[in-house]
């Protein structure tokens, strides 16, 4: 019993002393400096920071697309050494094969992994329904709206039942209303699947509406300057849908975050 009470939180991802330097045509660029982060199972982390501060670089390290110059990135205790089904990545631009219909796009991962036909079909149906595209399986990507394509992209990675979802400004290209609907959908999926999410956004309200923890990064070289534990997502999901955004606590955190980002932008200009 004591062992359970004293059990350490279950870290899905650990980043230890991460430094990343790019060797670009214009010389060396230090994108990240001494980044330390533990992500626990079920957390919804939103990352904010000035443009060019290294948010995407950090996500690419977690995805396994980039190797840190120094430090270690691990998932479930194992060194991240390349891309994996375990880590789903969703970008701003939907990633779908234009020649496959939506059903086959979603079934693509399980097919490549040679899952049994019946299981592939069940999973494909389940995730198409989860993103509310159950009736659009036979449509080609060009027949769907931008928001529907982004939902299909989401189903395409969720079907692999990843341990972590990494999203790089997933709603950045969508209009305001579609964006809000997508936020509601992501919140629903997160609470149903209990998945661990790491989402980059430029929108403070989006971060406050979704996150359980918000990370604010400094201007380049990117470091974590402040973290906020937040729980507005539960209020917004519940009866306090509208009023959650107008509480004193919400306004205070919002202002604090904006001040930090503005300070970092000022540093950029110096
Ligand atoms: N391949 C590369 N070669 C050289 N420098 C790079 C490369 N990729 C990114 N950088 C630089 O590294 C820094 C961090 O880039 P990154 O894309 O991670 O920032 P970001 O915070 O995601 O930016 P934004 O919010 O504008 O998308 C930037 O200054 C960028 O110019």
């Amino acid at each position: 019993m004591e062992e359970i009470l004293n059990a350490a939180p279950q870290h899905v991802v650990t980043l230890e002393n991460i430094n990343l330097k790019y060797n670009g045509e214009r010389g060396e660029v230090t994108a990240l400096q001494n980044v330390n982060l533990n992500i626990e199972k079920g957390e919804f982390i939103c990352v904010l920071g000035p443009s060019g501060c290294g948010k995407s670089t950090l996500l690419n390290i977690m995805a396994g697309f980039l190797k840190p110059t120094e430090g270690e990135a691990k998932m479930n205790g194992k060194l991240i050494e390349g891309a994996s089904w375990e880590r789903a990545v969703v970008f701003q631009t939907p990633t779908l094969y234009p020649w496959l219909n939506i059903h086959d796009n979603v079934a693509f991962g399980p097919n490549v992994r040679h899952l049994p036909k019946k299981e592939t079909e069940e999973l494909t149906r389940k995730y198409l329904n989860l993103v509310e595209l159950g009736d659009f399986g036979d449509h080609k990507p060009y027949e769907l709206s931008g928001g529907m394509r982004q939902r299909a992209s989401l189903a395409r990675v969720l079907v692999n039942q990843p341990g972590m979802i990494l999203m790089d400004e997933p709603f950045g290209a969508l209009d305001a209303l579609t964006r809000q609907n997508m936020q509601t959908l992501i919140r629903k999926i997160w609470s149903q699947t209990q998945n661990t999410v790491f989402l980059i956004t430029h929108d403070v309200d989006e971060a406050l509406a979704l996150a359980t923890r918000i990370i604010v990064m400094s201007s380049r070289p990117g470091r974590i300057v402040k973290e906020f534990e937040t729980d507005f997502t539960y209020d917004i999901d519940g009866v306090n849908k509208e009023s959650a955004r107008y509480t004193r606590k919400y306004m205070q955190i919002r202002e604090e975050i904006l001040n930090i980002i503005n300070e970092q932008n000022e540093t950029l200009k110096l």
Side-chain angles (χ1 to χ4, degrees), residues 175-228:
D175 64 84
L177 192 63
T178 311
R179 192 180 176 119
Q180 223 176 49
N181 291 337
M182 283 300 285
Q183 288 171 6
T184 307
L185 182 72
I186 286 287
R187 187 185 295 110
K188 185 184 92 180
I189 291 172
W190 168 72
S191 62
Q192 277 184 17
T193 60
Q194 301 284 297
N195 225 311
T196 311
V197 182
F198 181 92
L199 181 146
I200 296 173
T201 177
H202 277 113
D203 182 341
V204 180
D205 287 302
E206 182 163 284
L208 286 163
L210 292 173
T212 54
R213 179 155 54 127
I214 296 176
I215 284 170
V216 188
M217 289 181 66
S218 68
S219 55
R220 205 179 79 197
R223 286 164 291 113
I224 295 173
V225 281
K226 186 109 187 187
E227 298 189 20
F228 298 84

Side-chain angles (χ1 to χ4, degrees), residues 22 24 29 31 50-57 169 202 220:
Y22 287 109
V29 173
S51 181
C53 73
K55 301 181 290 295
S56 299
T57 303
E169 289 190 65
H202 277 113
R220 205 179 79 197

